[in-house]
Amino acid sequence: MEEEDKVYFHEVSFIDKEGQLRTSKIPVVQELARQLKGLNHLPDKFKRVHPDHQLVTPSFALPIPTINMAKLRLVAEPQHKVRAQELAKLASVAKEWGMFLITDHGVPSNVLHGVKDVVKGFFGLPFEEKKASVGSYASVENMGYGRNFVKSEDQPLDWIDRLTMKAAPEGTSEGLHVWPQKPTNFRQAIEQYVREARKVLDDLLEVLAESLSLERHVFIQQFDTNESEINVRVNYYPPCPRPDQTLGLTPHTDASALTILMEFDTSGGLQVLKDQKWLPVKWPRDTLLVNVGDMLEIMSNGRLQSPWHRVVTQMDVERFSVALFYNPASLAEIVPVRNTTMEHESYKNVVVGDYLQHFYKISPTTEKVAIKFAKA
Ligand code: OGA
Ligand code: NI
């Protein structure tokens, strides 16, 4: 076989609907994209019916609102007018969208660029070297290099390759080969970003509570400093010959409490469902995107809602994104804030690990259903 035509696979294992452990081989999209370059063809396994259904054309899309973190950090004067205005904006944006951009977030741009360099360095390695550089663990929450959410042989595949790691608590992936060995500073660059991003996430948990007129600590007190989790997922969307026929990432909510996203090389691809329509999300360089996850919806007792979102692919353009998912400790029980306006509570206490297990067991779903697990 010509080297050019060689087919590369990620090996995945999954529990099927009958509860059987199965293994399957999923094409490495990066290699496939190389081979299909210039062709007008997509393998059937990636095809979906009408990915453009209910899509708002980009020129008609509302821009995602932007929140200035520096203004919210003016804590020295709680009654500061600028701060109060930004807090009011945060309240309406978070409730209406569950997703917003942040500027003046304080993550140094050299740290963001460090992430970009190591991620591109990793994906720039030949496939065999990527595979040798990092293991793949379907049994450990799909960590490593490969794919997520493969549950059956007949499910349409996403146009994506991913790399997943657990960055906190420290030592959780000890003994596992989940951090790429190449580029050599990969782990260091990501951990530096995680440390900076955690400050932003912690501040956001406080100001989000405050913006909802709740006691400032109601959310953050559920995140033990040493035990709370940050999972890192690097998404790579190679150029796609038929963006009209496939998706980069199947529609979903994030199971996390909060997610913070950076993207690079191109803007565009992420879409959020708002008022039954898919809206394209674009964000300027060095701006970060934040979204509410299911666990914050539960903690806020439905005051905030996790948005349903997906990613579309682009022709001749590659795109990277890095998502950090912030969760309380796996053994922690999350406690929804009391509802004063409604007669009954919407959500009940759930153990974080139980929720995650349920979420991954039933994903992917065609609608937002995993969260029903936590309905009172
Ligand atoms: C995710 C996600 C969006 C993106 O990783 O959960 O929604 O733009 N990513 O890659
Ligand atoms: Ni997501």
Side-chain angles (χ1 to χ4, degrees), residues 233 249 252-254 259 261 291 309 325:
R233 202 146 71 194
L249 196 52
H252 65 282
T253 58
D254 295 345
T259 302
L261 264 168
N291 71 266
H309 56 285
F325 301 100

Side-chain angles (χ1 to χ4, degrees), residues 64-73 83 85-94 99-105 200 204 207-208 211 287-288 290:
I64 295 273
T66 303
I67 296 294
N68 183 307
M69 285 296 290
K71 290 183 183 172
L72 293 171
R73 281 170 164 154
R83 181 173 193 273
Q85 278 170 354
E86 202 63 12
L87 205 57
K89 182 174 175 189
L90 177 66
S92 75
V93 164
M99 180 181 272
F100 48 88
L101 294 166
I102 51 171
T103 54
D104 285 344
H105 43 65
V200 179
L204 277 169
V207 289
L208 279 167
S211 78
T287 308
L288 298 170
V290 173

Side-chain angles (χ1 to χ4, degrees), residues 298-333:
I298 298 167
M299 285 181 191
S300 71
N301 216 337
R303 287 169 176 81
L304 297 176
Q305 282 166 19
S306 58
W308 191 245
H309 56 285
R310 67 177 191 178
V311 177
V312 296
T313 60
Q314 299 174 74
M315 212 186 283
D316 305 324
V317 176
E318 61 179 7
R319 174 173 179 264
F320 295 88
S321 72
V322 178
L324 302 188
F325 301 100
Y326 195 25
N327 299 339
S330 162
L331 293 176
E333 188 175 57

Side-chain angles (χ1 to χ4, degrees), residues 114-126:
V115 172
K116 179 175 160 167
D117 287 346
V118 294
V119 165
K120 292 193 73 168
F122 175 78
F123 280 97
L125 297 170

Side-chain angles (χ1 to χ4, degrees), residues 155-376:
Q155 130 192 17
L157 297 175
D158 291 345
W159 193 259
I160 189 175
D161 289 326
R162 313 178 102 174
L163 185 57
T164 310
M165 294 134 297
K166 197 162 272 201
E170 257 174 58
T172 32
S173 37
E174 223 57 74
L176 289 176
H177 180 40
V178 295
W179 288 94
Q181 307 291 303
K182 289 185 190 173
T184 47
N185 60 334
F186 188 97
R187 181 170 183 170
Q188 188 202 346
I190 301 284
E191 286 185 335
Q192 194 177 9
Y193 172 52
V194 167
R195 273 194 299 279
E196 294 291 337
R198 188 196 281 267
K199 295 183 209 162
V200 179
L201 289 161
D202 283 343
D203 286 354
L204 277 169
L205 287 171
E206 291 195 345
V207 289
L208 279 167
E210 197 185 346
S211 78
L212 297 172
S213 306
L214 298 166
E215 201 276 314
R216 223 178 133 82
H217 297 109
V218 282
F219 300 143
I220 199 165
Q221 72 194 6
Q222 308 202 35
F223 290 71
D224 182 294
T225 323
N226 299 316
E227 300 292 325
S228 53
E229 297 190 351
I230 296 186
N231 293 317
V232 183
R233 202 146 71 194
V234 179
N235 302 308
Y236 174 47
Y237 307 97
C240 178
R242 294 302 301 261
D244 58 325
Q245 292 182 342
T246 190
L247 289 176
L249 196 52
T250 203
H252 65 282
T253 58
D254 295 345
S256 61
L258 268 186
T259 302
I260 192 163
L261 264 168
M262 64 180 279
E263 69 168 3
F264 46 89
D265 272 18
T266 181
S267 181
L270 177 62
Q271 299 183 342
V272 60
L273 193 71
K274 189 164 188 299
D275 307 325
Q276 316 299 316
K277 298 226 165 58
W278 287 109
L279 289 183
V281 177
K282 270 190 183 266
W283 68 94
R285 194 183 282 264
D286 286 2
T287 308
L288 298 170
L289 186 101
V290 173
N291 71 266
V292 171
D294 288 358
M295 284 194 269
L296 192 57
E297 174 165 340
I298 298 167
M299 285 181 191
S300 71
N301 216 337
R303 287 169 176 81
L304 297 176
Q305 282 166 19
S306 58
W308 191 245
H309 56 285
R310 67 177 191 178
V311 177
V312 296
T313 60
Q314 299 174 74
M315 212 186 283
D316 305 324
V317 176
E318 61 179 7
R319 174 173 179 264
F320 295 88
S321 72
V322 178
L324 302 188
F325 301 100
Y326 195 25
N327 299 339
S330 162
L331 293 176
E333 188 175 57
I334 49 177
V335 182
V337 291
R338 297 286 299 279
N339 262 342
T340 44
T341 48
M342 278 179 255
E343 277 180 8
H344 55 86
E345 306 285 279
S346 307
Y347 288 103
K348 60 185 181 190
N349 297 7
V350 281
V351 174
V352 170
D354 292 350
Y355 185 72
L356 292 175
Q357 202 180 15
H358 172 76
F359 182 95
Y360 290 110
K361 187 169 155 206
I362 72 164
S363 293
T365 53
T366 52
E367 281 168 49
K368 182 170 165 178
V369 291
I371 201 158
K372 289 186 182 157
F373 182 79
K375 288 258 156 113

Side-chain angles (χ1 to χ4, degrees), residues 12-37:
V12 295
S13 44
F14 58 92
I15 310 284
D16 71 7
K17 292 201 183 75
E18 280 75 48
Q20 297 293 312
L21 179 70
R22 299 197 171 277
T23 56
S24 184
K25 286 186 167 188
I26 305 295
V28 176
V29 177
Q30 187 173 6
E31 300 302 326
L32 205 54
R34 217 192 301 281
Q35 291 162 355
L36 294 174
K37 196 166 188 290

